[in-house]
Amino acid sequence: MNSDLIIVLIIVALPLLAQLKIKTTYNKYSKIINNKQLYGKEAAQKILDGNDLNKVQVFKIPGSLTDHYDPRNKSVSLSNSIYEQNSISSIAVAAHECGHAIQDKIGYSFMRFRSKMVPVVNITSSISSIFIMIGFFTEFVGFIRIGILLLSVGLLFQLITLPVEFDASRRAKEELDRLGLIDEKESKGVKKVLNAAAFTYVAGFLASALQIVRLVLISRRRN
């Protein structure tokens, strides 16, 4: 088995493993009702109120694990199962999104930098594949290298995303503990849910990094 095939297999396997981990962990703790019997929307509201974020609204959105915080309109959007259920998974995910709201309030540097990168990444990610395909078809290595450079901007974005997500999870757990919304046993479950979610970002970053390594190796062989 050559190195190129090994890299491809790892690139495919990492996101799949991450998705399997988050689904199994989420499903396990979505069946366990938290002691306070708080719904995700209620946990989110308590954390927001506890941090003087009264202007941040909590919305219900369709989908599964589509939860996010939008700094543009200062809103926490929770998917149906998170918004309407009173499980450990629900309050963990809801608290995580509130962690982003707290980051926005205090002007967390990595979050601000990531937000500024979004327009650039949207452009580079959409045209990087074009340069790479042209490079392969024309056998012009220069185009492949331009594509790699454009992909590297997206990789930097993913790298900056890691501390943003880890910090939001840390704040989520701290707020749930500080406000007395979970006990010691539930704290372990919350941590497992948050860690599983964080692994998806780590896996995504590693897969992207390996894809760039693979393209670099190909470009060198064609040089």
Side-chain angles (χ1 to χ4, degrees):
M1 188 179 292
N2 60 45
S3 59
D4 192 55
L5 181 57
I6 293 173
I7 292 175
V8 170
L9 290 175
I10 296 174
I11 290 171
V12 173
L14 276 173
L16 291 176
L17 288 173
Q19 287 301 313
L20 179 62
K21 183 176 179 61
I22 183 61
K23 284 184 178 180
T24 53
T25 305
Y26 172 80
N27 288 339
K28 175 182 178 180
Y29 288 99
S30 66
K31 297 174 183 176
I32 303 175
I33 297 175
N34 60 80
N35 287 335
K36 298 286 185 181
Q37 297 189 12
L38 288 172
Y39 294 96
K41 61 178 179 180
E42 295 173 326
Q45 197 61 62
K46 285 182 180 295
I47 293 173
L48 294 174
D49 291 343
N51 287 274
D52 297 321
L53 289 166
N54 311 93
K55 293 183 179 180
V56 176
Q57 294 181 293
V58 181
F59 297 113
K60 180 172 66 172
I61 57 173
S64 176
L65 296 177
T66 50
D67 316 86
H68 63 275
Y69 170 72
D70 192 337
R72 294 168 299 180
N73 60 8
K74 313 298 181 187
S75 66
V76 170
S77 295
L78 302 178
S79 55
N80 291 327
S81 59
I82 301 299
Y83 188 92
E84 297 176 340
Q85 290 184 7
N86 54 359
S87 66
I88 290 177
S89 288
S90 296
I91 61 174
V93 175
H96 175 86
E97 299 311 328
C98 291
H100 287 309
I102 297 171
Q103 289 175 335
D104 189 22
K105 176 188 176 182
I106 66 174
Y108 184 58
S109 57
F110 283 105
M111 185 182 194
R112 287 187 301 180
F113 188 31
R114 185 181 70 168
S115 296
K116 290 179 181 179
M117 283 191 69
V118 170
V120 178
V121 173
N122 287 340
I123 296 172
T124 58
S125 62
S126 62
I127 64 175
S128 59
S129 58
I130 297 174
F131 278 96
I132 292 171
M133 284 190 293
I134 292 174
F136 279 122
F137 283 123
T138 62
E139 296 189 355
F140 183 57
V141 178
F143 276 108
I144 297 176
R145 289 176 176 169
I146 292 173
I148 292 171
L149 183 62
L150 294 171
L151 282 176
S152 298
V153 177
L155 185 65
L156 176 61
F157 180 80
Q158 287 180 291
L159 180 61
I160 294 169
T161 295
L162 294 181
V164 175
E165 296 300 327
F166 282 121
D167 181 76
S169 290
R170 178 184 63 80
R171 294 178 190 277
K173 189 173 177 302
E174 286 181 355
E175 289 303 308
L176 289 171
D177 286 329
R178 182 179 70 86
L179 297 171
L181 303 182
I182 55 175
D183 59 28
E184 186 176 346
K185 183 178 180 181
E186 290 174 321
S187 180
K188 294 178 181 178
V190 166
K191 186 176 181 180
K192 288 182 179 180
V193 173
L194 294 175
N195 285 345
F199 181 59
T200 61
Y201 292 97
V202 175
F205 170 76
L206 292 176
S208 297
L210 285 172
Q211 177 66 12
I212 290 175
V213 169
R214 177 172 171 268
L215 289 170
V216 169
L217 293 174
I218 292 174
S219 67
R220 285 181 178 177
R221 289 199 295 266
R222 294 196 173 200
N223 195 4

